[in-house]
Amino acid sequence: MSETDWVLLLSRGQFALTMAMHITLAALTLGLAPFLVWFEARWLWGKQAASGTALHFWLKIFAITVAVGAVSGVVMEFQFGTNWSVFSQKAGGIIGPLLFYEVLIAFFMESGLTGVMLFGMGKIPPKWHFVITCLVAAGALFSAFWILAANSWMQTPADFMRDANGNFHPTNWIAFLSAPSFAWRFFHMVLASLIAVAFMIAGIGAWRLLHHPAEATSRIMVKAAIWFAVVAMPVQIVVGDQHGENTLHYQPQKVAAMEGSWHQPAPGEGEPLRLFAWPDQQAQRNQLEVAIPMIGSLYLRHNLTGHIKSLSEFPEHERPPVAAVFFSFRIMVGLGLLMLMTSAVAAYRLKRGRLFDARLLLWWLVWTSPSGFIAMLAGWLVTELGRQPWTIFGMLRTAESVSSMPLSWVITSCCGVIVIYGLVFGFGLRHFLRYASGPLPQGSDVVVTAIPTST
């Protein structure tokens, strides 16, 4: 490999690491904020003291996540100027305003009001505090809106023009939001964040119940998380199916890589469901393939004989890394089905009043608590690796987007990012686990009894 190839590879790896860390924190705040709203509403109007304690418990985690997420987001966006300056120059006319709106409209609302939400507990009227909590949740949603609008435009660009220097410019003021994949991508990501947080809350609550069976706050956590998950999971499957249909139309090679489809099946056979395979990109075939005939056509084309474009129909230099996309997609779908079955069983036991006595099921909720975040990151890999070798799909290649910089600089920055992020997130995860399994926040009972009486 040449020095230029190493610069590209390390720049991609550094951005992938920082983005993976940031997207996890962003999803945590996006998914946790509505639960804070729910706990506070049940506390104020439902007069549930345990919900107030749950609010106090998760509010501290939310505030820390916002603080660390803000820093990780700044580091991630700085790379547009350091490692991806060519991309920034060519696409800045479209991507720049979207990132500006995200900071101006969403980031200030979310980060600024989080301090009021955290330190205003007991100091401002309860109903106004609830309004602040709702605004924080709205800020997290707006942040996802603008970021996903930018990503969707890069995935499926629309309503743009290019000048003589190859720079991209919007053709109208709503071009920023005109990407045909934006709506499905937005709803899919929001639901993924909510489901991931729901399983995290259920897992933490289950862990606490295994050690404190009569803890009312933990029961409230598990109930809220399970009832949400059992409703949201079927909706997510439908949204994911429609998102897949949209991807099949605009990025067919991505879907071919997800399915490991190298060649068209014989007429009338339909697409198989490949349960397992080892894609061999050099040989353009799958090794060790285990497949069920025609089932792939059922969810891809909604019939038993429909076909999709195979990888062999695209030039070799326009194919994504098939193995990474193929396995990431199966991790996402497999964990999604696991979460669907888990939430259904837990909801059934909860309705019959037998969930909190089922220690094995509670342990299962503990072990599956990170499954939503793992599935979300796997889906992100499918999205981002599946559009390669393009930064702006079909328009600007990734190799043409990277900055021209010495290899030594990239190696130094990569090492720094790995060390700093490793330490920060390692200590952060350790603190989170200790806090989540420790005693409930001191003084929460006083706050719980004080605020509702003043409404």
PDB file of all heavy atoms in Angstrom, residues 380-403:
ATOM      1  N   TRP A 380     -25.654   0.764  11.568  1.00  0.00           N
ATOM      2  CA  TRP A 380     -24.866   1.900  11.095  1.00  0.00           C
ATOM      3  C   TRP A 380     -23.742   1.426  10.173  1.00  0.00           C
ATOM      4  O   TRP A 380     -23.462   2.062   9.151  1.00  0.00           O
ATOM      5  CB  TRP A 380     -24.308   2.652  12.296  1.00  0.00           C
ATOM      6  CG  TRP A 380     -23.290   3.693  11.944  1.00  0.00           C
ATOM      7  CD1 TRP A 380     -23.510   4.878  11.295  1.00  0.00           C
ATOM      8  CD2 TRP A 380     -21.891   3.636  12.209  1.00  0.00           C
ATOM      9  NE1 TRP A 380     -22.328   5.562  11.149  1.00  0.00           N
ATOM     10  CE2 TRP A 380     -21.322   4.828  11.699  1.00  0.00           C
ATOM     11  CE3 TRP A 380     -21.065   2.705  12.842  1.00  0.00           C
ATOM     12  CZ2 TRP A 380     -19.961   5.098  11.800  1.00  0.00           C
ATOM     13  CZ3 TRP A 380     -19.711   2.977  12.940  1.00  0.00           C
ATOM     14  CH2 TRP A 380     -19.175   4.154  12.420  1.00  0.00           C
ATOM     15  N   LEU A 381     -23.106   0.309  10.508  1.00  0.00           N
ATOM     16  CA  LEU A 381     -22.067  -0.243   9.632  1.00  0.00           C
ATOM     17  C   LEU A 381     -22.647  -0.645   8.278  1.00  0.00           C
ATOM     18  O   LEU A 381     -22.026  -0.428   7.234  1.00  0.00           O
ATOM     19  CB  LEU A 381     -21.404  -1.444  10.303  1.00  0.00           C
ATOM     20  CG  LEU A 381     -20.464  -1.140  11.476  1.00  0.00           C
ATOM     21  CD1 LEU A 381     -19.983  -2.431  12.117  1.00  0.00           C
ATOM     22  CD2 LEU A 381     -19.273  -0.301  11.011  1.00  0.00           C
ATOM     23  N   VAL A 382     -23.839  -1.231   8.287  1.00  0.00           N
ATOM     24  CA  VAL A 382     -24.492  -1.582   7.022  1.00  0.00           C
ATOM     25  C   VAL A 382     -24.701  -0.334   6.178  1.00  0.00           C
ATOM     26  O   VAL A 382     -24.413  -0.305   4.974  1.00  0.00           O
ATOM     27  CB  VAL A 382     -25.838  -2.292   7.283  1.00  0.00           C
ATOM     28  CG1 VAL A 382     -26.614  -2.467   5.979  1.00  0.00           C
ATOM     29  CG2 VAL A 382     -25.603  -3.652   7.923  1.00  0.00           C
ATOM     30  N   THR A 383     -25.194   0.722   6.816  1.00  0.00           N
ATOM     31  CA  THR A 383     -25.481   1.966   6.100  1.00  0.00           C
ATOM     32  C   THR A 383     -24.222   2.592   5.525  1.00  0.00           C
ATOM     33  O   THR A 383     -24.195   2.990   4.342  1.00  0.00           O
ATOM     34  CB  THR A 383     -26.168   2.967   7.041  1.00  0.00           C
ATOM     35  OG1 THR A 383     -27.433   2.427   7.443  1.00  0.00           O
ATOM     36  CG2 THR A 383     -26.407   4.295   6.356  1.00  0.00           C
ATOM     37  N   GLU A 384     -23.181   2.700   6.337  1.00  0.00           N
ATOM     38  CA  GLU A 384     -21.995   3.437   5.922  1.00  0.00           C
ATOM     39  C   GLU A 384     -21.066   2.605   5.041  1.00  0.00           C
ATOM     40  O   GLU A 384     -20.543   3.101   4.033  1.00  0.00           O
ATOM     41  CB  GLU A 384     -21.244   3.951   7.154  1.00  0.00           C
ATOM     42  CG  GLU A 384     -22.073   4.892   8.007  1.00  0.00           C
ATOM     43  CD  GLU A 384     -22.654   6.038   7.192  1.00  0.00           C
ATOM     44  OE1 GLU A 384     -21.924   6.657   6.406  1.00  0.00           O
ATOM     45  OE2 GLU A 384     -23.856   6.304   7.331  1.00  0.00           O
ATOM     46  N   LEU A 385     -20.829   1.350   5.391  1.00  0.00           N
ATOM     47  CA  LEU A 385     -19.973   0.511   4.548  1.00  0.00           C
ATOM     48  C   LEU A 385     -20.681   0.137   3.252  1.00  0.00           C
ATOM     49  O   LEU A 385     -20.037  -0.038   2.219  1.00  0.00           O
ATOM     50  CB  LEU A 385     -19.574  -0.756   5.314  1.00  0.00           C
ATOM     51  CG  LEU A 385     -18.627  -0.564   6.495  1.00  0.00           C
ATOM     52  CD1 LEU A 385     -18.404  -1.896   7.208  1.00  0.00           C
ATOM     53  CD2 LEU A 385     -17.297   0.028   6.049  1.00  0.00           C
ATOM     54  N   GLY A 386     -22.005   0.056   3.305  1.00  0.00           N
ATOM     55  CA  GLY A 386     -22.751  -0.338   2.120  1.00  0.00           C
ATOM     56  C   GLY A 386     -22.750   0.699   1.020  1.00  0.00           C
ATOM     57  O   GLY A 386     -23.033   0.371  -0.137  1.00  0.00           O
ATOM     58  N   ARG A 387     -22.444   1.960   1.344  1.00  0.00           N
ATOM     59  CA  ARG A 387     -22.405   2.988   0.294  1.00  0.00           C
ATOM     60  C   ARG A 387     -21.001   3.143  -0.297  1.00  0.00           C
ATOM     61  O   ARG A 387     -20.796   3.935  -1.220  1.00  0.00           O
ATOM     62  CB  ARG A 387     -22.863   4.331   0.840  1.00  0.00           C
ATOM     63  CG  ARG A 387     -21.861   4.975   1.763  1.00  0.00           C
ATOM     64  CD  ARG A 387     -22.168   6.418   2.013  1.00  0.00           C
ATOM     65  NE  ARG A 387     -21.397   6.927   3.129  1.00  0.00           N
ATOM     66  CZ  ARG A 387     -21.611   8.089   3.703  1.00  0.00           C
ATOM     67  NH1 ARG A 387     -22.605   8.845   3.273  1.00  0.00           N
ATOM     68  NH2 ARG A 387     -20.872   8.493   4.694  1.00  0.00           N
ATOM     69  N   GLN A 388     -20.022   2.456   0.286  1.00  0.00           N
ATOM     70  CA  GLN A 388     -18.663   2.558  -0.260  1.00  0.00           C
ATOM     71  C   GLN A 388     -18.628   1.996  -1.678  1.00  0.00           C
ATOM     72  O   GLN A 388     -19.409   1.114  -2.018  1.00  0.00           O
ATOM     73  CB  GLN A 388     -17.685   1.811   0.646  1.00  0.00           C
ATOM     74  CG  GLN A 388     -17.546   2.437   2.024  1.00  0.00           C
ATOM     75  CD  GLN A 388     -17.060   3.877   1.963  1.00  0.00           C
ATOM     76  OE1 GLN A 388     -16.170   4.226   1.190  1.00  0.00           O
ATOM     77  NE2 GLN A 388     -17.679   4.732   2.784  1.00  0.00           N
ATOM     78  N   PRO A 389     -17.775   2.554  -2.520  1.00  0.00           N
ATOM     79  CA  PRO A 389     -16.643   3.436  -2.250  1.00  0.00           C
ATOM     80  C   PRO A 389     -16.968   4.926  -2.365  1.00  0.00           C
ATOM     81  O   PRO A 389     -16.109   5.707  -2.778  1.00  0.00           O
ATOM     82  CB  PRO A 389     -15.646   3.024  -3.326  1.00  0.00           C
ATOM     83  CG  PRO A 389     -16.528   2.696  -4.503  1.00  0.00           C
ATOM     84  CD  PRO A 389     -17.770   2.080  -3.927  1.00  0.00           C
ATOM     85  N   TRP A 390     -18.192   5.323  -2.039  1.00  0.00           N
ATOM     86  CA  TRP A 390     -18.620   6.699  -2.224  1.00  0.00           C
ATOM     87  C   TRP A 390     -18.759   7.424  -0.893  1.00  0.00           C
ATOM     88  O   TRP A 390     -19.263   6.857   0.080  1.00  0.00           O
ATOM     89  CB  TRP A 390     -19.967   6.744  -2.956  1.00  0.00           C
ATOM     90  CG  TRP A 390     -19.996   5.992  -4.245  1.00  0.00           C
ATOM     91  CD1 TRP A 390     -20.509   4.746  -4.468  1.00  0.00           C
ATOM     92  CD2 TRP A 390     -19.501   6.447  -5.502  1.00  0.00           C
ATOM     93  NE1 TRP A 390     -20.362   4.388  -5.771  1.00  0.00           N
ATOM     94  CE2 TRP A 390     -19.740   5.418  -6.450  1.00  0.00           C
ATOM     95  CE3 TRP A 390     -18.874   7.611  -5.936  1.00  0.00           C
ATOM     96  CZ2 TRP A 390     -19.394   5.524  -7.787  1.00  0.00           C
ATOM     97  CZ3 TRP A 390     -18.511   7.719  -7.269  1.00  0.00           C
ATOM     98  CH2 TRP A 390     -18.774   6.694  -8.181  1.00  0.00           C
ATOM     99  N   THR A 391     -18.358   8.697  -0.851  1.00  0.00           N
ATOM    100  CA  THR A 391     -18.726   9.581   0.252  1.00  0.00           C
ATOM    101  C   THR A 391     -20.096  10.182  -0.029  1.00  0.00           C
ATOM    102  O   THR A 391     -20.992  10.134   0.819  1.00  0.00           O
ATOM    103  CB  THR A 391     -17.693  10.708   0.419  1.00  0.00           C
ATOM    104  OG1 THR A 391     -16.391  10.148   0.521  1.00  0.00           O
ATOM    105  CG2 THR A 391     -17.989  11.510   1.667  1.00  0.00           C
ATOM    106  N   ILE A 392     -20.266  10.753  -1.201  1.00  0.00           N
ATOM    107  CA  ILE A 392     -21.585  11.163  -1.693  1.00  0.00           C
ATOM    108  C   ILE A 392     -21.941  10.150  -2.774  1.00  0.00           C
ATOM    109  O   ILE A 392     -21.293  10.088  -3.817  1.00  0.00           O
ATOM    110  CB  ILE A 392     -21.556  12.590  -2.252  1.00  0.00           C
ATOM    111  CG1 ILE A 392     -21.116  13.569  -1.159  1.00  0.00           C
ATOM    112  CG2 ILE A 392     -22.927  12.984  -2.798  1.00  0.00           C
ATOM    113  CD1 ILE A 392     -20.954  14.988  -1.639  1.00  0.00           C
ATOM    114  N   PHE A 393     -22.955   9.371  -2.524  1.00  0.00           N
ATOM    115  CA  PHE A 393     -23.209   8.177  -3.310  1.00  0.00           C
ATOM    116  C   PHE A 393     -23.346   8.492  -4.798  1.00  0.00           C
ATOM    117  O   PHE A 393     -24.182   9.303  -5.212  1.00  0.00           O
ATOM    118  CB  PHE A 393     -24.481   7.485  -2.805  1.00  0.00           C
ATOM    119  CG  PHE A 393     -24.705   6.132  -3.417  1.00  0.00           C
ATOM    120  CD1 PHE A 393     -23.972   5.040  -2.994  1.00  0.00           C
ATOM    121  CD2 PHE A 393     -25.648   5.961  -4.414  1.00  0.00           C
ATOM    122  CE1 PHE A 393     -24.172   3.799  -3.561  1.00  0.00           C
ATOM    123  CE2 PHE A 393     -25.865   4.730  -4.982  1.00  0.00           C
ATOM    124  CZ  PHE A 393     -25.110   3.636  -4.555  1.00  0.00           C
ATOM    125  N   GLY A 394     -22.493   7.834  -5.582  1.00  0.00           N
ATOM    126  CA  GLY A 394     -22.524   7.982  -7.022  1.00  0.00           C
ATOM    127  C   GLY A 394     -21.918   9.266  -7.543  1.00  0.00           C
ATOM    128  O   GLY A 394     -21.859   9.461  -8.770  1.00  0.00           O
ATOM    129  N   MET A 395     -21.464  10.157  -6.639  1.00  0.00           N
ATOM    130  CA  MET A 395     -20.992  11.479  -7.054  1.00  0.00           C
ATOM    131  C   MET A 395     -19.552  11.768  -6.647  1.00  0.00           C
ATOM    132  O   MET A 395     -18.782  12.323  -7.410  1.00  0.00           O
ATOM    133  CB  MET A 395     -21.913  12.569  -6.465  1.00  0.00           C
ATOM    134  CG  MET A 395     -23.344  12.485  -6.932  1.00  0.00           C
ATOM    135  SD  MET A 395     -23.490  12.881  -8.700  1.00  0.00           S
ATOM    136  CE  MET A 395     -25.188  12.378  -9.009  1.00  0.00           C
ATOM    137  N   LEU A 396     -19.184  11.415  -5.436  1.00  0.00           N
ATOM    138  CA  LEU A 396     -17.855  11.734  -4.918  1.00  0.00           C
ATOM    139  C   LEU A 396     -17.309  10.515  -4.187  1.00  0.00           C
ATOM    140  O   LEU A 396     -17.878  10.068  -3.197  1.00  0.00           O
ATOM    141  CB  LEU A 396     -17.924  12.935  -3.964  1.00  0.00           C
ATOM    142  CG  LEU A 396     -16.600  13.406  -3.361  1.00  0.00           C
ATOM    143  CD1 LEU A 396     -15.673  13.929  -4.455  1.00  0.00           C
ATOM    144  CD2 LEU A 396     -16.839  14.466  -2.290  1.00  0.00           C
ATOM    145  N   ARG A 397     -16.187  10.012  -4.674  1.00  0.00           N
ATOM    146  CA  ARG A 397     -15.610   8.805  -4.094  1.00  0.00           C
ATOM    147  C   ARG A 397     -14.872   9.144  -2.797  1.00  0.00           C
ATOM    148  O   ARG A 397     -14.361  10.256  -2.608  1.00  0.00           O
ATOM    149  CB  ARG A 397     -14.653   8.144  -5.078  1.00  0.00           C
ATOM    150  CG  ARG A 397     -15.344   7.693  -6.369  1.00  0.00           C
ATOM    151  CD  ARG A 397     -14.344   7.065  -7.327  1.00  0.00           C
ATOM    152  NE  ARG A 397     -13.921   5.760  -6.851  1.00  0.00           N
ATOM    153  CZ  ARG A 397     -14.559   4.615  -7.143  1.00  0.00           C
ATOM    154  NH1 ARG A 397     -15.665   4.634  -7.897  1.00  0.00           N
ATOM    155  NH2 ARG A 397     -14.120   3.478  -6.681  1.00  0.00           N
ATOM    156  N   THR A 398     -14.813   8.166  -1.900  1.00  0.00           N
ATOM    157  CA  THR A 398     -14.147   8.363  -0.616  1.00  0.00           C
ATOM    158  C   THR A 398     -12.665   8.674  -0.799  1.00  0.00           C
ATOM    159  O   THR A 398     -12.105   9.525  -0.099  1.00  0.00           O
ATOM    160  CB  THR A 398     -14.311   7.106   0.253  1.00  0.00           C
ATOM    161  OG1 THR A 398     -15.698   6.773   0.345  1.00  0.00           O
ATOM    162  CG2 THR A 398     -13.769   7.332   1.651  1.00  0.00           C
ATOM    163  N   ALA A 399     -12.039   8.011  -1.750  1.00  0.00           N
ATOM    164  CA  ALA A 399     -10.615   8.247  -2.001  1.00  0.00           C
ATOM    165  C   ALA A 399     -10.351   9.658  -2.494  1.00  0.00           C
ATOM    166  O   ALA A 399      -9.240  10.179  -2.337  1.00  0.00           O
ATOM    167  CB  ALA A 399     -10.092   7.232  -3.020  1.00  0.00           C
ATOM    168  N   GLU A 400     -11.357  10.301  -3.079  1.00  0.00           N
ATOM    169  CA  GLU A 400     -11.210  11.672  -3.572  1.00  0.00           C
ATOM    170  C   GLU A 400     -11.582  12.710  -2.516  1.00  0.00           C
ATOM    171  O   GLU A 400     -11.444  13.914  -2.757  1.00  0.00           O
ATOM    172  CB  GLU A 400     -12.097  11.875  -4.809  1.00  0.00           C
ATOM    173  CG  GLU A 400     -11.756  10.938  -5.965  1.00  0.00           C
ATOM    174  CD  GLU A 400     -12.807  10.979  -7.064  1.00  0.00           C
ATOM    175  OE1 GLU A 400     -13.889  11.555  -6.807  1.00  0.00           O
ATOM    176  OE2 GLU A 400     -12.562  10.448  -8.152  1.00  0.00           O
ATOM    177  N   SER A 401     -12.056  12.263  -1.365  1.00  0.00           N
ATOM    178  CA  SER A 401     -12.562  13.177  -0.339  1.00  0.00           C
ATOM    179  C   SER A 401     -11.557  13.455   0.762  1.00  0.00           C
ATOM    180  O   SER A 401     -11.736  14.396   1.538  1.00  0.00           O
ATOM    181  CB  SER A 401     -13.835  12.596   0.293  1.00  0.00           C
ATOM    182  OG  SER A 401     -14.815  12.298  -0.684  1.00  0.00           O
ATOM    183  N   VAL A 402     -10.521  12.624   0.868  1.00  0.00           N
ATOM    184  CA  VAL A 402      -9.595  12.715   1.987  1.00  0.00           C
ATOM    185  C   VAL A 402      -8.599  13.853   1.780  1.00  0.00           C
ATOM    186  O   VAL A 402      -8.270  14.229   0.646  1.00  0.00           O
ATOM    187  CB  VAL A 402      -8.857  11.373   2.171  1.00  0.00           C
ATOM    188  CG1 VAL A 402      -7.861  11.125   1.033  1.00  0.00           C
ATOM    189  CG2 VAL A 402      -8.185  11.286   3.531  1.00  0.00           C
ATOM    190  N   SER A 403      -8.117  14.404   2.894  1.00  0.00           N
ATOM    191  CA  SER A 403      -7.131  15.483   2.836  1.00  0.00           C
ATOM    192  C   SER A 403      -5.768  14.951   2.414  1.00  0.00           C
ATOM    193  O   SER A 403      -5.435  13.781   2.642  1.00  0.00           O
ATOM    194  CB  SER A 403      -6.998  16.158   4.211  1.00  0.00           C
ATOM    195  OG  SER A 403      -8.231  16.659   4.666  1.00  0.00           O
TER     196      SER A 403
END
